[in-house]
Amino acid sequence: MAAKAGDNPDSLMTLATVFCLRNLRKTMCYQGFRNKLCLRSDIFLPSEICDKLVNIYMDLVLTDSNFEPEESFFQLFSDPRSTRLTRVQLREDFVRDRDLEAIRKQDLIELHLTYCNSLSSRSLKTLTCFRETLVSLCLFGCSHIFYRKGGAPLACNEDSEDEDEESPASRQALETDFSFQGFNRLRLLNLGGLPDEVDAETLLKPLKSLTSLDLSNVQLLGTAFLTQWKDRLASLVLYNVDLSEELVSTVVELVNLRHLDISRETRRASKFKMTRKILTAIVQRLVNLVSLDISGHIMLDNCTVPHFEEAMGRPSIEPCKSSIYPFQDLKRPLQFLGLYDTTLCNVTHIPAYKVTGSKNEDQVLNAIEAYTEFRPELAHRAINQLFDIARIQHCSQLLRALQLVIAALKCHKYDKSIQVTGSAALFYLTNTEYRSDQSVRLRREVIQVVLNGMEQYQEVTVQRNCCLTLCNFSIPEELEFQYSRVNQLLLKILEPARQDESIQRIAVHLCNALVCQVDNHHKEAVGKMGFVKTMLNLIQKKLQDRMCDQVMEFSWSALWNITDETPDNCQMFLNCRGMSLFLECLQEFPDKQELHRNMLGLLGNVAEVKALRPQLLTPQFITVFSNLLDSKADGIEVSYNACGVLSHIMFDGPEAWMMEEPRRDTVMEKMWDAIQSWDVSSRRNINYRSFEPILRLLPQSISPVSQHWATWALFNLVSVYPNKYCPLLIKEGGMHLLEKVLELESSQPETKDMAQKVMDQCENFKEDPMETNHAQEVNYGQRG
């Protein structure tokens, strides 16, 4: 059988690394002085393992809410005699000055710092510790690193750890002492987002051997300095840098460029117009180009061939057929061409293997892939376009689309716009149309990024998108690996007294589905999170508004499910004024059949708990249950459930009946009458996981009516749904107990007759299980 999309397993190296990081004290480390994490003395790790440990540690910290960061983690790599680091990638405000200082003795070859806004100029000093070995350095979005914290001077010594690390670096005092002098091996440098106060030309002057330079969003006072690398520079990124004729003239002198990016975020902010002459100069002068990005530029019409000409023939990537005149001079198709937010992406013949744009799915996916890491503002727009494709058309590259959206959501956990558009796209990419093509592992990745979004943002749109996406999964099966976490998040959503109505409805639906068909220990754990109280608060609020809507009905249904065979949750229901709310709902909404069924199903669960039954034995409650025996609401369901509650109460015997009115005999007569009025072939809106609460009512003589109710229930279920309930009854020892019913003198004739029919039905099923009633069984959630 072919593997499903996204089903490739993690490498053993990755699995072992994650295990060690989750169990540091049991594998590599021990608890040292003042609880400091220390590396064991017999551990010696090469760079391949150390790099993996640090980089996966960062991923876990940023994407896994269950992972606890270690205060002294980076100290484990302070001694290069036992640990070797060479390639390190760190992201976001989580990274502190002291973390870099901890690894300052390592011979780093690559150091990528992205959006590390907690770093101050102390980390610039630490960078000089790597100057003799560093080949690749990224400081993208680390603008605070060029400022002293609180105006303090540079420091890089053993005592510097005691400085206050809690607040982000101040931008009050610009650091002027740092220089790239001595970074002789540095070849690749990314200074994207360099503060305007820092002069890029002066800062870069000592670097003689750069081959790749990224100056995204940097204000350049002059451009001539770029020519100092004209014989070496292979990659130049000037994203969102204001273009001018002077800058273009300088760029075309860099004849060894293979990748040039002069794109912009949007056409609206640009005064510069991309002419045919400029594009021609770039193509003709930079003959080694394999990658070019001119996204976001205003293109003059004279760049493209007439529409009637370019529309002829099948799309081609041959330069000679290019619909864009300047690119007809290319010697070979480009590997990459960025045309996002330009009119050029719409032409027919584009001489490039990979194109970013908005014309079709391929261009949009290329844009998400190219811009996610450093340009979330563009990735956000591209994901929005993917959302439209998945919603209105059809996504033909499902695996790639899902993986790109997941990567964007992980990379930009703190970017609200990415979280909004990404979660919306996931809703459509995981729906029924695409589901059969997705592996378990891929769908779990979706669930995790969705829960990350729910954790990070309380904003209505993100919460709604995330909840809707979770509805695309089989619940509870597909969510069980994050069961506790998803319940906590949903209960948190439902906490506010006034919540968005649509989110409230979806969240309650999910809560209900999550406690249906799960083991009792799951229900008990969720009960302890405050599930019962949260549902009752929602019911109280709806009562105040005099509104019986889906939220009200789902809340009672959820309580029915979570109290099934869980006495602790039943006790919580009673402790939190559950019975008062039951009576109020019954009075306020006398005609709501679904509501009555859910409430009585829940009370059936409470009545199954012997220790709690005395709390139901009051004149008020017994009268209510007795009156509901006559209900025709929802077929027989309300009457059936009311009779079930009373059957368990009657099972405690006459000595437990401490009230004068209503009389026990009178109520029992009403129960007999109700049972005899039901159609035994009735289809049921109920789903039993176990017959144990019913079976305990069979071999007894205390309450013949309770015995009859139990026997009727079994006959109805095994005759209407034999495939499901005959095996369950046999498995749970029901046949032996039914034989005892036949033997008891106290059993009523009609009860014995029905018990015999149940046994005959199960015997027939055992002999020929194919001879069954083939009526479609509907699963309406479990039996409260």
Side-chain angles (χ1 to χ4, degrees):
M1 188 176 72
K4 290 189 176 182
D7 213 14
N8 298 329
D10 283 327
S11 67
L12 182 58
M13 173 73 160
T14 299
L15 293 171
T17 302
V18 171
F19 178 82
C20 288
L21 288 170
R22 292 188 185 279
N23 300 275
L24 284 171
R25 287 165 182 78
K26 297 177 182 177
T27 53
M28 304 161 44
C29 307
Y30 65 93
Q31 201 84 25
F33 182 62
R34 290 184 178 175
N35 293 326
K36 185 176 181 180
L37 195 65
C38 300
L39 195 69
R40 281 172 34 191
S41 58
D42 58 344
I43 295 286
F44 301 91
L45 301 175
S47 60
E48 294 84 358
I49 293 177
C50 290
D51 292 349
K52 194 94 172 171
L53 282 166
V54 170
N55 295 331
I56 290 183
Y57 174 80
M58 285 305 303
D59 285 343
L60 290 172
V61 166
L62 294 171
T63 63
D64 189 340
S65 64
N66 294 322
F67 184 77
E68 287 292 329
E70 291 286 352
E71 186 70 20
S72 53
F73 176 76
F74 289 92
Q75 284 292 332
L76 300 178
F77 305 92
S78 61
D79 188 352
R81 291 172 298 181
S82 55
T83 53
R84 292 285 178 90
L85 284 173
T86 54
R87 293 174 171 83
V88 174
Q89 299 179 1
L90 309 178
R91 291 182 67 88
E92 307 292 349
D93 296 352
F94 166 79
V95 185
R96 307 285 180 171
D97 287 327
R98 62 171 174 263
D99 297 328
L100 276 188
E101 288 167 2
I103 61 172
R104 65 185 177 274
K105 294 179 183 177
Q106 296 286 351
D107 293 334
L108 293 188
I109 296 173
E110 291 180 12
L111 177 59
H112 288 194
L113 305 172
T114 309
Y115 301 117
C116 298
N117 282 314
S118 293
L119 297 182
S120 71
S121 59
R122 281 174 55 188
S123 289
L124 282 184
K125 180 69 174 177
T126 305
L127 287 185
T128 62
C129 300
F130 311 126
R131 62 178 176 267
E132 293 180 6
T133 57
L134 212 54
V135 173
S136 176
L137 174 64
C138 172
L139 299 177
F140 186 88
C142 302
S143 54
H144 293 170
I145 201 171
F146 291 94
Y147 296 86
R148 297 176 185 175
K149 189 171 291 185
L154 281 176
C156 178
N157 53 54
E158 301 292 338
D159 300 324
S160 60
E161 290 183 18
D162 295 330
E163 276 191 40
D164 175 34
E165 295 269 5
E166 298 309 313
S167 58
S170 165
R171 293 194 60 170
Q172 295 175 355
L174 184 69
E175 181 51 60
T176 56
D177 293 341
F178 176 75
S179 167
F180 277 118
Q181 195 70 43
F183 286 74
N184 298 325
R185 297 189 64 191
L186 197 60
R187 299 292 183 271
L188 295 84
L189 179 60
N190 186 335
L191 292 176
L194 188 73
D196 293 346
E197 296 93 327
V198 180
D199 180 15
E201 180 176 351
T202 304
L203 185 65
L204 294 168
K205 192 171 183 179
L207 300 172
K208 305 299 183 186
S209 305
L210 286 183
T211 60
S212 175
L213 179 61
D214 189 327
L215 295 174
S216 298
N217 293 296
V218 175
Q219 184 176 338
L220 299 179
L221 301 177
T223 61
F225 74 95
L226 294 172
T227 58
Q228 68 180 300
W229 304 293
K230 67 179 181 180
D231 296 327
R232 302 187 63 93
L233 208 59
S235 174
L236 178 63
V237 178
L238 299 173
Y239 170 69
N240 266 352
V241 173
D242 291 329
L243 289 189
S244 62
E245 300 234 348
E246 177 198 353
L247 179 53
V248 173
S249 299
T250 302
V251 167
V252 296
E253 289 185 50
L254 308 175
V255 292
N256 285 311
L257 279 181
R258 292 174 58 79
H259 170 64
L260 174 63
D261 185 339
I262 50 174
S263 61
R264 296 193 61 80
E265 178 181 345
T266 176
R267 282 180 276 180
R268 290 196 299 270
S270 176
K271 297 176 184 176
F272 185 84
K273 291 180 174 58
M274 188 65 69
T275 64
R276 179 173 172 178
K277 177 182 176 183
I278 291 171
L279 268 183
T280 301
I282 290 172
V283 171
Q284 291 181 347
R285 298 284 297 278
L286 303 179
V287 295
N288 295 309
L289 271 189
V290 295
S291 172
L292 174 66
D293 201 332
I294 53 173
S295 298
H297 278 292
I298 299 170
M299 301 291 173
L300 296 186
D301 291 339
N302 65 355
C303 285
T304 57
V305 301
H307 177 70
F308 69 89
E309 282 185 34
E310 74 103 17
M312 294 173 61
R314 298 180 64 185
S316 172
I317 63 169
E318 292 302 317
C320 61
K321 296 181 181 179
S322 172
S323 301
I324 305 164
Y325 280 125
F327 294 151
Q328 292 178 356
D329 293 333
L330 288 168
K331 292 183 172 56
R332 66 192 72 81
L334 294 170
Q335 295 295 319
F336 174 89
L337 179 58
L339 299 176
Y340 194 75
D341 194 24
T342 71
T343 54
L344 297 185
C345 72
N346 296 308
V347 301
T348 303
H349 309 296
I350 302 175
Y353 293 103
K354 187 173 280 192
V355 179
T356 68
S358 54
K359 179 183 179 182
N360 54 42
E361 179 183 332
D362 203 47
Q363 288 187 1
V364 168
L365 292 178
N366 289 339
I368 299 172
E369 184 176 58
Y371 304 135
T372 286
E373 185 172 12
F374 295 127
R375 300 174 196 177
E377 63 278 6
L378 294 185
H380 156 248
R381 286 157 60 188
I383 293 171
N384 211 28
Q385 288 158 339
L386 174 63
F387 162 79
D388 287 332
I389 291 169
R391 179 173 62 96
I392 301 168
Q393 304 168 30
H394 176 80
C395 183
S396 58
Q397 300 180 58
L398 176 65
L399 172 61
R400 186 180 178 212
L402 267 177
Q403 289 175 330
L404 288 172
V405 174
I406 289 169
L409 289 167
K410 283 183 176 180
C411 188
H412 298 287
K413 183 178 175 181
Y414 305 107
D415 187 310
K416 179 182 166 184
S417 62
I418 290 278
Q419 294 296 320
V420 169
T421 54
S423 56
L426 285 181
F427 170 70
Y428 285 100
L429 291 170
T430 54
N431 68 17
T432 309
E433 179 184 359
Y434 302 111
R435 181 171 181 171
S436 61
D437 299 324
Q438 297 166 9
S439 69
V440 171
R441 181 182 175 196
L442 186 65
R443 288 176 71 79
R444 283 190 170 191
E445 281 194 74
V446 172
I447 290 166
Q448 285 176 319
V449 294
V450 164
L451 297 182
N452 287 346
M454 291 172 70
E455 259 170 355
Q456 191 61 38
Y457 292 95
Q458 304 307 309
E459 198 269 340
V460 170
T461 310
V462 176
Q463 296 282 0
R464 185 189 299 114
N465 290 349
C466 290
C467 286
L468 283 170
T469 301
L470 290 178
C471 291
N472 285 337
F473 293 82
S474 296
I475 303 171
E477 295 84 5
E478 288 192 283
L479 299 183
E480 198 155 0
F481 80 108
Q482 295 278 292
Y483 192 78
S484 175
R485 183 183 179 200
V486 70
N487 273 291
Q488 286 174 332
L489 288 169
L490 289 170
L491 292 177
K492 188 175 181 182
I493 287 174
L494 293 170
E495 270 178 15
R498 297 277 174 181
Q499 176 61 276
D500 177 87
E501 192 70 29
S502 62
I503 296 178
Q504 200 175 66
R505 186 172 61 252
I506 303 163
V508 174
H509 163 73
L510 286 167
C511 282
N512 187 25
L514 279 162
V515 294
C516 181
Q517 305 285 343
V518 293
D519 294 335
N520 290 347
H521 75 271
H522 278 325
K523 295 180 185 181
E524 289 166 0
V526 175
K528 290 173 183 173
M529 293 177 193
F531 187 101
V532 174
K533 187 173 183 180
T534 299
M535 293 301 134
L536 290 172
N537 285 343
L538 289 173
I539 292 166
Q540 176 76 61
K541 168 67 180 58
K542 291 298 176 184
L543 269 170
Q544 290 170 359
D545 296 343
R546 306 184 72 177
M547 183 183 297
C548 183
D549 57 5
Q550 284 186 317
V551 171
M552 169 74 92
E553 291 181 355
F554 282 158
S555 297
W556 279 108
S557 180
L559 289 169
W560 182 5
N561 283 320
I562 200 172
T563 53
D564 180 36
E565 296 183 38
T566 49
D568 287 351
N569 291 342
C570 293
Q571 179 73 67
M572 284 184 216
F573 170 79
L574 296 177
N575 292 348
C576 295
R577 290 188 61 251
M579 290 305 294
S580 298
L581 292 175
F582 160 68
L583 293 174
E584 289 177 44
C585 285
L586 209 57
Q587 184 176 355
E588 186 67 41
F589 310 112
D591 301 320
K592 294 293 182 178
Q593 299 185 14
E594 179 95 2
L595 177 69
H596 294 184
R597 176 174 70 89
N598 292 342
M599 292 194 299
L600 266 294
L602 156 64
L603 294 181
N605 291 337
V606 177
E608 288 172 8
V609 184
K610 182 175 177 62
L612 301 181
R613 284 201 283 269
Q615 297 185 55
L616 303 180
L617 254 173
T618 69
Q620 184 182 26
F621 294 151
I622 295 299
T623 300
V624 168
F625 299 144
S626 180
N627 291 338
L628 287 171
L629 289 170
D630 300 325
S631 172
K632 304 301 180 190
D634 200 17
I636 68 167
E637 298 300 335
V638 172
S639 176
Y640 171 89
N641 284 327
C643 198
V645 172
L646 290 168
S647 292
H648 288 287
I649 291 172
M650 295 297 177
F651 182 53
D652 289 337
E655 63 275 10
W657 199 274
M658 305 296 288
M659 68 195 87
E660 292 185 7
E661 290 292 335
R663 292 172 55 82
R664 186 170 183 268
D665 292 344
T666 305
V667 175
M668 285 197 293
E669 284 177 20
K670 287 195 71 174
M671 291 169 66
W672 279 106
D673 292 342
I675 296 169
Q676 288 169 348
S677 72
W678 302 336
D679 180 358
V680 81
S681 63
S682 297
R683 301 286 301 280
R684 306 301 306 284
N685 293 351
I686 201 164
N687 178 35
Y688 282 91
R689 289 188 307 126
S690 169
F691 282 145
E692 194 277 329
I694 293 178
L695 295 178
R696 72 170 75 120
L697 299 178
L698 290 179
Q700 50 94 10
S701 55
I702 299 171
S703 173
V705 70
S706 302
Q707 185 187 58
H708 190 62
W709 174 83
T711 311
W712 187 97
L714 293 175
F715 183 50
N716 166 251
L717 294 167
V718 298
S719 56
V720 178
Y721 306 111
N723 278 339
K724 178 167 186 178
Y725 291 120
C726 284
L728 181 62
L729 183 61
I730 294 166
K731 177 186 172 185
E732 295 192 335
M735 301 291 276
H736 173 66
L737 296 174
L738 287 163
E739 287 175 0
K740 287 192 172 183
V741 171
L742 298 177
E743 294 169 2
L744 284 170
E745 291 184 10
S746 58
S747 299
Q748 296 296 309
E750 56 262 59
T751 305
K752 289 184 178 183
D753 180 53
M754 197 163 282
Q756 186 62 57
K757 289 179 180 178
V758 176
M759 294 173 69
D760 293 344
Q761 180 75 22
C762 290
E763 287 296 339
N764 292 337
F765 179 84
K766 281 196 293 183
E767 289 173 13
D768 189 357
M770 298 306 293
E771 288 186 17
T772 62
N773 182 339
H774 292 285
Q776 178 65 40
E777 183 176 342
V778 182
N779 186 342
Y780 288 90
Q782 71 192 48
R783 174 197 62 86

